[in-house]
């Protein structure tokens, strides 16, 4: 098998008509957008747990504030962090991560809620995105790699937030194999 011909790049589409006429660039951007959605959801899941702990919510899914997503969830975490008795160094660390999350979610929204068109002349993607309170739509050129890089930034942020969560709210638990580990726990 050639070096670049990995199983991840070779697949049979379950509904091939959705890819009808798509070139490598279009397939790459679509896979990248899927990775952005997946990695952003992982960050939201950890942020939800952090919010629940910071707010002292007994039942994670009963609190209407806890079911926010993206930037709304970041705002709620920041508000609870201001009330937190955590040491300032720990608050600063989470504040920085929340700032990164907010920027990443804004970029994710532009990508996932924008209209995409490939520009043959520049070999980049043209995105068109309107937003709340905007007088005119934002038009931006995006290279396929940028979407993949955002997915990678979300993945790194997920690990950062999970590490922070485990250090502050992790609980000892036993795995299926009987090993004791610290786990992130959300009460449902």
């Amino acid at each position: 098998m050639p070096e670049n011909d990995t199983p991840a790049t070779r697949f049979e589409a379950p509904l091939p008509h959705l890819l009808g006429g798509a070139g490598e660039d279009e397939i790459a951007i679509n896979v990248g957008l899927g990775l952005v959605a997946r990695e952003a959801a992982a960050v939201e899941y950890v942020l939800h747990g952090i919010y629940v702990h910071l707010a002292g919510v007994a039942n994670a899914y009963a609190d209407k504030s806890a079911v926010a997503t993206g930037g709304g969830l970041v705002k709620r975490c920041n508000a609870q962090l201001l009330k937190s008795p955590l040491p300032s160094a720990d608050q600063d660390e989470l504040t920085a991560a929340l700032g990164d999350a907010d920027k990443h979610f804004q970029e994710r929204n532009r990508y996932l809620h924008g209209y995409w068109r490939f520009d043959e002349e520049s070999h980049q993607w043209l995105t068109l995105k309107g937003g709340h309170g905007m007088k005119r739509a934002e038009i931006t050129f995006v290279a396929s790699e940028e979407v993949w890089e955002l997915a990678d930034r979300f993945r790194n942020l997920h690990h950062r937030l999970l590490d922070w969560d485990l250090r502050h709210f992790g609980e000892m638990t036993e795995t299926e194999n009987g090993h004791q580990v610290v786990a992130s726990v959300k009460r449902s």
Side-chain angles (χ1 to χ4, degrees), residues 11-22:
F11 69 96
E12 226 171 281
L15 300 171
H17 67 279
L18 292 174
L19 295 176

Side-chain angles (χ1 to χ4, degrees), residues 126-137:
L126 180 66
T127 64
L128 175 67
K129 169 77 173 85
H132 301 291
M134 292 176 73
K135 291 187 191 273
R136 57 173 41 189

Side-chain angles (χ1 to χ4, degrees), residues 111-133:
Y111 291 158
L112 294 184
H113 302 295
Y115 172 73
W116 290 84
R117 185 119 186 121
F118 190 71
D119 181 64
E120 295 289 340
E121 193 173 311
S122 68
H123 296 282
Q124 295 185 73
W125 289 91
L126 180 66
T127 64
L128 175 67
K129 169 77 173 85
H132 301 291

